[in-house]
Structure formats: C-alpha cells, structure tokens
Amino acid sequence: MHTFLLVLEILFSIAIIVVVLMQPSKADGLKALMSGNSDTFFSKNKARTKEVMLARTTVILAVVLAVVTMLLDLIK
C-alpha cells in the first residue's frame, strides 16, 4: 500500500507540474486593461476557456496530491 501511494504521489506531482507549466502568463492581462476593450468573446465565455479548465485541473490535482500525502504520512 505504501509503494502504491508513493507511485501515485509521484504521478500527481508530475501532472501538477505539467498543468502549471501549460498555463499562460498573466502579463497579457495588463495589456487588455490599457486598451479598454474588455468585451471580448473570452470575457463572455470565461467558464469554457482553456485557462479556466487548466486552473480547475490544477486545484483538483493539488487537493488529490495533498490527500495522498496525508495518507502516506498516516501509513508510515
């Protein structure tokens, strides 16, 4: 059981690193503020964009990683 949880922790760690690196930087948000055009397709459909999906995936992976880490600590 310990080995299985350790492998899960490694896999989730790699997955969260990949998902975080896939997220775009937030520096382009300042450029949109300066132009004043905030009524775009992406601002209207924010729940369906790739950025939101990556952010949700990051949160889910972080919670699962925390749970697996706590289980590993309890089993020790």
Side-chain angles (χ1 to χ4, degrees):
M1 183 71 170
H2 180 72
T3 306
F4 175 71
L5 287 175
L6 194 59
V7 169
L8 274 181
E9 185 169 24
I10 291 169
L11 290 176
F12 284 124
S13 299
I14 292 170
I16 200 167
I17 289 170
V18 169
V19 170
V20 167
L21 289 177
M22 286 176 55
Q23 293 180 1
S25 68
K26 301 293 181 184
D28 56 341
L30 186 60
K31 185 172 39 172
L33 271 176
M34 298 299 177
S35 67
N37 187 9
S38 64
D39 195 26
T40 63
F41 173 77
F42 293 114
S43 67
K44 292 179 183 176
N45 298 313
K46 202 139 181 94
R48 299 182 197 158
T49 62
K50 181 182 172 186
E51 295 175 22
V52 174
M53 294 300 285
L54 286 173
R56 287 181 185 159
T57 306
T58 303
V59 170
I60 291 168
L61 285 173
V63 168
V64 171
L65 183 66
V67 169
V68 170
T69 303
M70 285 187 271
L71 287 173
L72 267 172
D73 189 43
L74 290 175
I75 289 178
K76 255 186 185 178

